[in-house]
Amino acid sequence: MSWLWAIIVGLVLGLIAKAILPGKQQIPLWLTVVFGMIGSVLGNAVATWIGVNDTKGIDWIRHLLQLIGAVVVVGLGDMVWASIKGDRRRA
């Protein structure tokens, strides 16, 4: 069940990250999910590092760090994907 939850969180964070980033991202949906999952893991690592990974109530700071991680990973991943595909123009 934890893999299913990770996929769902990755999808949601990846889609939100794509909505936050300016322009149109060229990455496919499956890569958006993967990048969202990676961003979530990075956000959790930073939250653990600064000591806010487990608080009473809703972990707003951890969720914000996960979203920031997803935005960074989706943004960088989109640039790499565009350079691999050879399509450098942005919509």
Side-chain angles (χ1 to χ4, degrees):
M1 189 68 175
S2 62
W3 278 104
L4 178 62
W5 189 244
I7 291 169
I8 292 169
V9 168
L11 173 65
V12 170
L13 285 175
L15 290 176
I16 292 172
K18 282 178 79 168
I20 290 173
L21 290 169
K24 181 175 177 9
Q25 289 73 43
Q26 305 298 320
I27 57 175
L29 183 61
W30 67 269
L31 204 50
T32 302
V33 173
V34 171
F35 289 160
M37 290 169 64
I38 293 169
S40 174
V41 169
L42 288 175
N44 280 337
V46 171
T48 300
W49 180 62
I50 63 174
V52 294
N53 61 326
D54 190 23
T55 59
K56 293 182 181 178
I58 299 174
D59 297 329
W60 291 110
I61 296 172
R62 181 174 56 101
H63 296 314
L64 180 64
L65 290 170
Q66 288 174 335
L67 180 60
I68 291 169
V71 168
V72 169
V73 173
V74 168
L76 292 174
D78 181 56
M79 288 189 293
V80 171
W81 181 263
S83 68
I84 290 172
K85 288 297 186 180
D87 184 20
R88 297 192 195 282
R89 61 189 166 97
R90 308 297 267 170

Coordinates of all heavy atoms in Angstrom, one line a residue:
M1 N 0.8 -1.2 0.0 CA 0.0 0.0 0.0 C 0.9 1.3 0.0 O 0.4 2.3 -0.5 CB -0.9 0.0 1.2 CG -1.9 1.0 1.2 SD -3.1 0.7 -0.1 CE -4.3 2.0 0.2
S2 N 2.1 1.2 0.5 CA 2.9 2.4 0.6 C 3.4 2.8 -0.8 O 3.5 4.0 -1.0 CB 4.1 2.1 1.5 OG 4.9 1.1 1.0
W3 N 3.6 1.8 -1.7 CA 3.9 2.2 -3.1 C 2.8 2.9 -3.8 O 3.0 3.9 -4.5 CB 4.4 1.0 -3.9 CG 5.8 0.6 -3.6 CD1 6.2 -0.4 -2.9 CD2 6.9 1.3 -4.1 NE1 7.6 -0.4 -2.8 CE2 8.1 0.6 -3.6 CE3 7.1 2.4 -4.9 CZ2 9.4 1.0 -3.8 CZ3 8.4 2.8 -5.1 CH2 9.5 2.1 -4.6
L4 N 1.6 2.5 -3.6 CA 0.4 3.1 -4.2 C 0.3 4.5 -3.7 O 0.0 5.5 -4.4 CB -0.8 2.3 -3.9 CG -2.2 2.9 -4.4 CD1 -2.1 3.0 -5.9 CD2 -3.3 2.1 -4.0
W5 N 0.5 4.7 -2.4 CA 0.4 6.0 -1.8 C 1.5 6.9 -2.3 O 1.3 8.1 -2.6 CB 0.5 5.9 -0.2 CG 0.2 7.2 0.5 CD1 1.1 7.9 1.2 CD2 -1.0 7.9 0.4 NE1 0.4 9.0 1.7 CE2 -0.8 9.1 1.2 CE3 -2.3 7.7 -0.2 CZ2 -1.8 10.0 1.4 CZ3 -3.2 8.7 0.0 CH2 -3.0 9.8 0.8
A6 N 2.7 6.4 -2.5 CA 3.8 7.2 -3.0 C 3.5 7.6 -4.5 O 3.8 8.7 -4.9 CB 5.1 6.4 -3.0
I7 N 2.9 6.8 -5.3 CA 2.5 7.1 -6.6 C 1.5 8.2 -6.7 O 1.6 9.2 -7.4 CB 2.1 5.9 -7.4 CG1 3.3 4.9 -7.6 CG2 1.4 6.2 -8.7 CD1 2.9 3.5 -8.1
I8 N 0.5 8.1 -5.8 CA -0.6 9.1 -5.7 C 0.0 10.5 -5.3 O -0.3 11.5 -5.9 CB -1.7 8.7 -4.8 CG1 -2.4 7.5 -5.4 CG2 -2.7 9.8 -4.5 CD1 -3.4 6.8 -4.4
V9 N 0.8 10.5 -4.3 CA 1.5 11.7 -3.8 C 2.4 12.3 -4.9 O 2.4 13.5 -5.1 CB 2.3 11.5 -2.5 CG1 3.1 12.6 -2.1 CG2 1.3 11.2 -1.3
G10 N 3.1 11.4 -5.6 CA 4.0 11.9 -6.7 C 3.2 12.5 -7.8 O 3.6 13.5 -8.4
L11 N 2.0 11.9 -8.1 CA 1.2 12.5 -9.2 C 0.7 13.8 -8.8 O 0.7 14.8 -9.5 CB 0.0 11.5 -9.4 CG -1.1 12.0 -10.4 CD1 -0.5 12.2 -11.8 CD2 -2.3 11.1 -10.4
V12 N 0.1 13.9 -7.6 CA -0.4 15.2 -7.1 C 0.7 16.3 -7.0 O 0.5 17.4 -7.5 CB -1.1 15.0 -5.7 CG1 -1.5 16.4 -5.1 CG2 -2.4 14.2 -5.9
L13 N 1.8 16.0 -6.4 CA 2.9 17.0 -6.3 C 3.4 17.3 -7.7 O 3.7 18.5 -7.9 CB 4.0 16.4 -5.4 CG 3.7 16.5 -3.9 CD1 4.8 15.8 -3.1 CD2 3.5 17.9 -3.4
G14 N 3.6 16.3 -8.5 CA 4.1 16.6 -9.9 C 3.2 17.5 -10.7 O 3.6 18.5 -11.3
L15 N 1.9 17.3 -10.6 CA 0.9 18.1 -11.3 C 0.9 19.5 -10.7 O 0.8 20.5 -11.5 CB -0.5 17.5 -11.3 CG -0.6 16.2 -12.1 CD1 -2.0 15.6 -12.0 CD2 -0.3 16.5 -13.6
I16 N 0.9 19.6 -9.4 CA 1.0 21.0 -8.8 C 2.2 21.7 -9.2 O 2.2 22.9 -9.5 CB 0.8 20.9 -7.3 CG1 -0.6 20.4 -6.9 CG2 1.1 22.2 -6.6 CD1 -0.7 20.1 -5.4
A17 N 3.4 21.0 -9.2 CA 4.6 21.6 -9.6 C 4.6 22.1 -11.1 O 5.0 23.2 -11.4 CB 5.8 20.6 -9.4
K18 N 4.0 21.3 -11.9 CA 3.8 21.7 -13.3 C 2.9 22.9 -13.5 O 3.2 23.8 -14.3 CB 3.3 20.6 -14.2 CG 4.3 19.5 -14.5 CD 3.7 18.4 -15.3 CE 3.6 18.8 -16.8 NZ 3.3 17.6 -17.7
A19 N 1.9 23.0 -12.6 CA 1.0 24.2 -12.6 C 1.8 25.5 -12.1 O 1.5 26.6 -12.6 CB -0.2 23.9 -11.8
I20 N 2.7 25.3 -11.2 CA 3.4 26.4 -10.6 C 4.4 26.9 -11.6 O 4.6 28.1 -11.7 CB 4.0 26.0 -9.2 CG1 2.9 25.8 -8.2 CG2 5.1 27.1 -8.8 CD1 3.5 25.3 -6.9
L21 N 5.1 26.0 -12.2 CA 6.2 26.4 -13.2 C 5.6 27.2 -14.4 O 4.6 26.8 -14.9 CB 7.0 25.2 -13.6 CG 7.8 24.5 -12.6 CD1 8.3 23.2 -13.1 CD2 9.0 25.4 -12.2
P22 N 6.3 28.3 -14.8 CA 5.8 29.0 -15.9 C 6.1 28.2 -17.2 O 7.0 27.4 -17.3 CB 6.7 30.3 -15.9 CG 7.9 29.9 -15.2 CD 7.5 28.9 -14.2
G23 N 5.2 28.5 -18.2 CA 5.4 27.8 -19.5 C 4.8 26.4 -19.5 O 4.2 26.0 -18.5
K24 N 5.0 25.8 -20.6 CA 4.5 24.4 -20.8 C 5.7 23.4 -20.6 O 6.7 23.6 -21.3 CB 3.8 24.2 -22.2 CG 3.3 22.9 -22.4 CD 2.5 22.8 -23.7 CE 2.0 21.5 -24.1 NZ 2.0 20.4 -23.2
Q25 N 5.5 22.5 -19.8 CA 6.5 21.5 -19.6 C 6.3 20.4 -20.6 O 5.2 20.0 -20.9 CB 6.5 20.9 -18.2 CG 7.0 21.9 -17.1 CD 6.0 23.0 -16.8 OE1 4.8 22.7 -16.7 NE2 6.5 24.2 -16.7
Q26 N 7.4 19.8 -21.1 CA 7.4 18.8 -22.2 C 7.4 17.4 -21.7 O 7.3 16.4 -22.4 CB 8.6 19.0 -23.1 CG 8.7 20.4 -23.7 CD 7.4 20.8 -24.5 OE1 6.9 20.0 -25.3 NE2 7.0 22.0 -24.4
I27 N 7.5 17.2 -20.3 CA 7.6 15.8 -19.8 C 6.3 15.1 -19.8 O 5.3 15.7 -19.6 CB 8.2 15.8 -18.4 CG1 7.4 16.7 -17.4 CG2 9.7 16.3 -18.4 CD1 7.8 16.6 -16.0
P28 N 6.3 13.8 -20.1 CA 5.1 13.0 -20.1 C 4.6 12.8 -18.6 O 5.3 13.0 -17.7 CB 5.5 11.7 -20.7 CG 7.0 11.6 -20.5 CD 7.5 13.0 -20.5
L29 N 3.4 12.3 -18.5 CA 2.7 12.1 -17.2 C 3.5 11.1 -16.3 O 3.6 11.4 -15.1 CB 1.3 11.7 -17.4 CG 0.5 11.5 -16.1 CD1 0.3 12.8 -15.4 CD2 -0.9 11.0 -16.4
W30 N 4.0 10.1 -16.9 CA 4.7 9.1 -16.1 C 5.9 9.7 -15.5 O 6.3 9.4 -14.3 CB 5.0 7.8 -16.9 CG 6.0 8.0 -18.0 CD1 5.7 8.3 -19.3 CD2 7.4 7.9 -17.9 NE1 6.9 8.4 -20.0 CE2 8.0 8.1 -19.1 CE3 8.3 7.6 -16.8 CZ2 9.3 8.1 -19.4 CZ3 9.7 7.6 -17.1 CH2 10.2 7.8 -18.4
L31 N 6.6 10.6 -16.2 CA 7.8 11.2 -15.7 C 7.4 12.3 -14.7 O 8.2 12.5 -13.7 CB 8.6 11.8 -16.9 CG 10.1 12.0 -16.6 CD1 10.8 10.8 -16.1 CD2 10.7 12.5 -17.9
T32 N 6.3 12.9 -14.8 CA 5.8 13.8 -13.8 C 5.6 13.1 -12.5 O 5.9 13.7 -11.4 CB 4.5 14.5 -14.3 OG1 4.7 15.1 -15.6 CG2 3.9 15.5 -13.3
V33 N 5.0 11.9 -12.5 CA 4.8 11.2 -11.3 C 6.2 10.8 -10.7 O 6.3 11.0 -9.5 CB 4.0 9.9 -11.6 CG1 3.9 9.0 -10.4 CG2 2.6 10.2 -12.1
V34 N 7.1 10.3 -11.5 CA 8.4 10.0 -11.0 C 9.1 11.2 -10.3 O 9.7 11.1 -9.2 CB 9.3 9.3 -12.1 CG1 10.7 9.2 -11.6 CG2 8.7 8.0 -12.5
F35 N 9.1 12.3 -11.0 CA 9.7 13.5 -10.5 C 9.0 14.0 -9.3 O 9.6 14.5 -8.3 CB 9.8 14.6 -11.6 CG 10.7 14.4 -12.7 CD1 10.6 15.0 -13.9 CD2 11.8 13.5 -12.6 CE1 11.5 14.8 -14.9 CE2 12.6 13.3 -13.6 CZ 12.5 13.9 -14.8
G36 N 7.7 13.9 -9.2 CA 7.0 14.2 -8.0 C 7.3 13.4 -6.8 O 7.5 13.8 -5.7
M37 N 7.5 12.1 -7.1 CA 8.0 11.2 -6.0 C 9.4 11.5 -5.5 O 9.6 11.5 -4.3 CB 7.9 9.7 -6.5 CG 6.5 9.2 -6.7 SD 6.5 7.6 -7.6 CE 7.3 6.5 -6.5
I38 N 10.3 11.8 -6.5 CA 11.6 12.2 -6.1 C 11.6 13.5 -5.3 O 12.3 13.6 -4.3 CB 12.5 12.3 -7.3 CG1 12.7 10.9 -8.0 CG2 13.9 12.9 -7.0 CD1 13.4 11.0 -9.3
G39 N 10.8 14.5 -5.7 CA 10.7 15.7 -5.0 C 10.2 15.5 -3.6 O 10.6 16.2 -2.6
S40 N 9.2 14.6 -3.4 CA 8.7 14.3 -2.1 C 9.7 13.7 -1.2 O 9.8 14.1 0.0 CB 7.5 13.3 -2.3 OG 7.0 12.9 -1.1
V41 N 10.5 12.8 -1.7 CA 11.6 12.2 -0.9 C 12.6 13.2 -0.5 O 13.1 13.3 0.6 CB 12.3 11.0 -1.7 CG1 13.5 10.6 -1.0 CG2 11.3 9.9 -1.9
L42 N 13.0 14.1 -1.5 CA 13.9 15.2 -1.1 C 13.3 16.1 -0.1 O 14.0 16.5 0.9 CB 14.3 16.0 -2.4 CG 15.2 15.3 -3.4 CD1 15.4 16.2 -4.6 CD2 16.5 15.0 -2.7
G43 N 12.0 16.5 -0.2 CA 11.4 17.3 0.8 C 11.4 16.6 2.2 O 11.6 17.3 3.2
N44 N 11.1 15.3 2.2 CA 11.1 14.6 3.5 C 12.5 14.6 4.1 O 12.7 14.7 5.3 CB 10.6 13.2 3.3 CG 9.1 13.1 3.2 OD1 8.4 14.0 3.7 ND2 8.6 12.0 2.6
A45 N 13.5 14.5 3.2 CA 14.9 14.4 3.8 C 15.3 15.8 4.4 O 15.9 15.8 5.4 CB 15.9 14.1 2.6
V46 N 14.9 16.9 3.7 CA 15.2 18.2 4.2 C 14.4 18.4 5.5 O 14.9 19.0 6.5 CB 14.8 19.3 3.2 CG1 14.9 20.7 3.8 CG2 15.8 19.2 2.0
A47 N 13.1 18.0 5.6 CA 12.3 18.1 6.8 C 13.0 17.3 8.0 O 13.0 17.8 9.1 CB 10.9 17.6 6.5
T48 N 13.5 16.2 7.7 CA 14.2 15.4 8.7 C 15.4 16.1 9.2 O 15.7 16.2 10.4 CB 14.5 14.0 8.2 OG1 13.3 13.3 7.8 CG2 15.2 13.1 9.3
W49 N 16.2 16.6 8.2 CA 17.4 17.3 8.5 C 17.2 18.5 9.4 O 18.0 18.8 10.3 CB 18.1 17.7 7.2 CG 19.4 18.4 7.4 CD1 20.5 17.9 7.9 CD2 19.7 19.8 7.0 NE1 21.5 18.9 7.9 CE2 21.0 20.0 7.3 CE3 19.0 20.8 6.4 CZ2 21.7 21.2 7.1 CZ3 19.6 22.0 6.1 CH2 20.9 22.2 6.5
I50 N 16.1 19.3 9.2 CA 15.9 20.5 10.0 C 15.0 20.2 11.2 O 14.7 21.1 12.0 CB 15.3 21.7 9.2 CG1 14.0 21.3 8.6 CG2 16.3 22.1 8.1 CD1 13.3 22.5 7.9
G51 N 14.5 18.9 11.3 CA 13.8 18.5 12.5 C 12.3 18.8 12.5 O 11.7 18.9 13.6
V52 N 11.7 18.9 11.4 CA 10.2 19.2 11.3 C 9.5 18.1 10.6 O 8.4 18.3 10.2 CB 9.9 20.6 10.7 CG1 10.5 21.7 11.5 CG2 10.5 20.6 9.3
N53 N 10.0 16.9 10.5 CA 9.4 15.8 9.8 C 8.2 15.2 10.5 O 7.3 14.7 9.9 CB 10.4 14.7 9.4 CG 11.0 14.1 10.7 OD1 11.2 14.7 11.7 ND2 11.3 12.8 10.6
D54 N 8.2 15.3 11.8 CA 7.1 14.7 12.6 C 6.6 15.7 13.7 O 7.3 15.8 14.7 CB 7.5 13.4 13.2 CG 6.3 12.6 13.7 OD1 5.2 12.9 13.3 OD2 6.5 11.7 14.6
T55 N 5.6 16.4 13.4 CA 5.0 17.3 14.4 C 3.6 16.9 14.8 O 3.0 16.1 14.2 CB 5.0 18.8 13.9 OG1 4.2 18.8 12.7 CG2 6.4 19.2 13.5
K56 N 3.1 17.6 15.8 CA 1.7 17.3 16.2 C 0.8 18.0 15.2 O 1.0 19.1 14.8 CB 1.4 17.8 17.6 CG 2.2 17.1 18.7 CD 1.8 17.5 20.0 CE 2.6 16.8 21.0 NZ 2.4 17.2 22.4
G57 N -0.2 17.3 14.8 CA -1.2 17.8 13.8 C -0.7 17.6 12.4 O 0.0 16.7 12.1
I58 N -1.0 18.5 11.5 CA -0.7 18.4 10.1 C 0.7 19.0 9.9 O 1.1 20.1 10.4 CB -1.7 19.2 9.2 CG1 -3.1 18.6 9.4 CG2 -1.2 19.2 7.8 CD1 -4.1 19.3 8.7
D59 N 1.6 18.3 9.2 CA 3.0 18.7 9.0 C 3.0 19.6 7.8 O 3.5 19.3 6.7 CB 3.8 17.5 8.7 CG 3.9 16.5 9.9 OD1 3.8 17.0 11.1 OD2 4.1 15.3 9.7
W60 N 2.6 20.9 8.0 CA 2.5 21.9 6.9 C 3.9 22.2 6.3 O 4.1 22.3 5.1 CB 1.9 23.1 7.4 CG 0.4 23.0 7.6 CD1 -0.2 23.0 8.9 CD2 -0.6 22.7 6.7 NE1 -1.5 22.8 8.7 CE2 -1.8 22.6 7.4 CE3 -0.7 22.5 5.3 CZ2 -3.0 22.3 6.8 CZ3 -1.9 22.3 4.7 CH2 -3.0 22.2 5.4
I61 N 4.9 22.3 7.2 CA 6.3 22.6 6.8 C 6.8 21.5 5.9 O 7.4 21.7 4.9 CB 7.2 23.0 8.0 CG1 6.7 24.2 8.7 CG2 8.6 23.1 7.5 CD1 7.4 24.5 9.9
R62 N 6.6 20.3 6.4 CA 7.1 19.1 5.6 C 6.4 19.0 4.2 O 7.1 18.8 3.2 CB 6.8 17.8 6.4 CG 7.3 16.6 5.6 CD 7.2 15.3 6.5 NE 5.8 15.1 7.0 CZ 5.0 14.2 6.4 NH1 5.4 13.5 5.4 NH2 3.8 14.1 6.9
H63 N 5.1 19.3 4.2 CA 4.4 19.3 2.9 C 4.9 20.4 2.0 O 5.0 20.2 0.8 CB 2.9 19.4 3.1 CG 2.3 18.2 3.9 ND1 2.6 16.9 3.6 CD2 1.4 18.2 4.9 CE1 2.0 16.1 4.4 NE2 1.3 16.8 5.2
L64 N 5.1 21.6 2.5 CA 5.7 22.7 1.7 C 7.1 22.3 1.2 O 7.4 22.6 0.0 CB 5.8 23.9 2.6 CG 6.3 25.2 1.9 CD1 5.4 25.6 0.7 CD2 6.4 26.3 2.8
L65 N 7.9 21.7 2.0 CA 9.2 21.3 1.5 C 9.1 20.2 0.4 O 9.9 20.2 -0.5 CB 10.1 20.8 2.7 CG 10.5 21.8 3.7 CD1 11.1 21.2 4.9 CD2 11.5 22.8 3.1
Q66 N 8.1 19.3 0.6 CA 7.9 18.3 -0.5 C 7.5 19.0 -1.8 O 8.0 18.6 -2.9 CB 6.8 17.3 -0.1 CG 7.2 16.4 1.0 CD 6.1 15.5 1.5 OE1 4.9 15.9 1.3 NE2 6.4 14.4 2.0
L67 N 6.6 20.0 -1.7 CA 6.2 20.7 -2.9 C 7.4 21.5 -3.5 O 7.6 21.5 -4.8 CB 5.1 21.7 -2.6 CG 4.5 22.5 -3.8 CD1 4.0 21.6 -4.9 CD2 3.4 23.4 -3.3
I68 N 8.2 22.1 -2.7 CA 9.4 22.8 -3.2 C 10.3 21.8 -3.9 O 10.8 22.1 -5.0 CB 10.1 23.6 -2.1 CG1 9.2 24.8 -1.6 CG2 11.4 24.1 -2.5 CD1 9.7 25.4 -0.3
G69 N 10.5 20.7 -3.3 CA 11.3 19.7 -3.9 C 10.8 19.2 -5.2 O 11.5 19.0 -6.2
A70 N 9.5 19.0 -5.3 CA 8.9 18.6 -6.6 C 9.0 19.7 -7.7 O 9.3 19.4 -8.8 CB 7.4 18.3 -6.4
V71 N 8.8 20.9 -7.3 CA 9.0 22.0 -8.3 C 10.4 22.1 -8.8 O 10.6 22.2 -10.0 CB 8.6 23.4 -7.6 CG1 9.0 24.6 -8.5 CG2 7.1 23.5 -7.3
V72 N 11.4 21.9 -7.9 CA 12.8 21.9 -8.4 C 13.1 20.7 -9.3 O 13.7 20.9 -10.4 CB 13.7 21.9 -7.1 CG1 15.2 21.7 -7.6 CG2 13.6 23.2 -6.4
V73 N 12.7 19.5 -8.9 CA 12.9 18.3 -9.7 C 12.2 18.4 -11.0 O 12.8 18.0 -12.0 CB 12.6 17.1 -8.8 CG1 12.8 15.8 -9.7 CG2 13.5 17.0 -7.6
V74 N 10.9 18.8 -11.0 CA 10.2 18.9 -12.3 C 10.8 19.9 -13.2 O 11.0 19.7 -14.4 CB 8.7 19.2 -12.0 CG1 8.0 19.6 -13.3 CG2 8.0 18.0 -11.4
G75 N 11.2 21.0 -12.6 CA 11.8 22.1 -13.5 C 13.2 21.6 -14.1 O 13.4 21.8 -15.3
L76 N 14.0 21.0 -13.3 CA 15.3 20.5 -13.8 C 15.1 19.3 -14.7 O 15.7 19.2 -15.8 CB 16.2 20.1 -12.6 CG 16.7 21.2 -11.7 CD1 17.5 20.6 -10.6 CD2 17.6 22.2 -12.5
G77 N 14.2 18.4 -14.4 CA 13.9 17.3 -15.2 C 13.3 17.7 -16.5 O 13.6 17.0 -17.6
D78 N 12.5 18.7 -16.6 CA 11.9 19.2 -17.8 C 13.0 19.7 -18.8 O 13.0 19.5 -20.0 CB 10.9 20.2 -17.6 CG 10.2 20.7 -18.9 OD1 9.7 19.9 -19.7 OD2 10.3 21.9 -19.1
M79 N 14.0 20.4 -18.2 CA 15.1 21.0 -19.0 C 15.9 19.8 -19.6 O 16.3 19.8 -20.7 CB 16.0 21.9 -18.2 CG 15.3 23.2 -17.9 SD 16.4 24.4 -17.1 CE 16.7 23.7 -15.5
V80 N 16.2 18.8 -18.7 CA 17.0 17.6 -19.2 C 16.2 16.9 -20.3 O 16.7 16.5 -21.3 CB 17.3 16.7 -18.0 CG1 17.9 15.4 -18.5 CG2 18.3 17.4 -17.1
W81 N 14.9 16.7 -20.1 CA 14.0 16.0 -21.0 C 14.0 16.8 -22.4 O 14.1 16.1 -23.4 CB 12.6 15.9 -20.5 CG 11.7 15.1 -21.4 CD1 10.8 15.7 -22.2 CD2 11.5 13.7 -21.5 NE1 10.1 14.7 -22.9 CE2 10.5 13.5 -22.5 CE3 12.2 12.6 -21.0 CZ2 10.1 12.2 -22.9 CZ3 11.7 11.4 -21.3 CH2 10.8 11.2 -22.3
A82 N 13.9 18.1 -22.3 CA 13.9 18.9 -23.5 C 15.2 18.8 -24.3 O 15.2 18.7 -25.5 CB 13.5 20.3 -23.2
S83 N 16.3 18.8 -23.5 CA 17.6 18.7 -24.2 C 17.8 17.3 -24.8 O 18.4 17.2 -25.9 CB 18.7 19.0 -23.3 OG 18.9 18.1 -22.3
I84 N 17.3 16.3 -24.2 CA 17.4 14.9 -24.7 C 16.6 14.8 -26.0 O 17.0 14.2 -26.9 CB 17.0 13.9 -23.6 CG1 18.1 13.8 -22.5 CG2 16.8 12.5 -24.3 CD1 17.6 12.9 -21.4
K85 N 15.4 15.3 -25.9 CA 14.5 15.2 -27.1 C 14.9 16.2 -28.2 O 14.3 16.1 -29.3 CB 13.0 15.5 -26.6 CG 12.4 14.4 -25.8 CD 12.4 13.1 -26.6 CE 11.7 12.0 -25.9 NZ 11.6 10.8 -26.7
G86 N 15.7 17.1 -27.9 CA 16.2 18.1 -28.9 C 15.2 19.2 -29.2 O 15.3 19.9 -30.1
D87 N 14.2 19.3 -28.3 CA 13.2 20.4 -28.5 C 13.4 21.5 -27.5 O 13.0 21.4 -26.4 CB 11.8 19.8 -28.4 CG 10.7 20.8 -28.6 OD1 11.0 21.8 -29.3 OD2 9.6 20.6 -28.2
R88 N 14.1 22.5 -27.8 CA 14.5 23.5 -26.9 C 13.5 24.7 -26.8 O 13.6 25.6 -26.0 CB 15.9 24.1 -27.2 CG 17.0 23.0 -27.1 CD 18.3 23.7 -27.2 NE 19.4 22.7 -27.4 CZ 19.9 21.9 -26.5 NH1 19.4 21.9 -25.3 NH2 20.9 21.1 -26.9
R89 N 12.6 24.7 -27.7 CA 11.6 25.9 -27.7 C 10.6 25.7 -26.6 O 10.2 24.6 -26.3 CB 10.9 26.0 -29.1 CG 10.1 24.8 -29.5 CD 9.7 25.0 -30.9 NE 9.2 23.7 -31.3 CZ 7.9 23.3 -31.3 NH1 7.0 24.1 -30.9 NH2 7.6 22.1 -31.7
R90 N 10.2 26.8 -26.1 CA 9.2 26.8 -24.9 C 8.0 27.4 -25.4 O 8.0 28.4 -26.1 CB 9.8 27.5 -23.7 CG 11.2 27.1 -23.3 CD 11.2 25.7 -22.8 NE 11.0 25.7 -21.4 CZ 10.7 24.6 -20.7 NH1 10.6 23.4 -21.3 NH2 10.6 24.7 -19.4
A91 N 6.8 26.9 -25.0 CA 5.5 27.5 -25.3 C 5.1 28.5 -24.3 O 5.5 28.5 -23.2 CB 4.5 26.4 -25.4

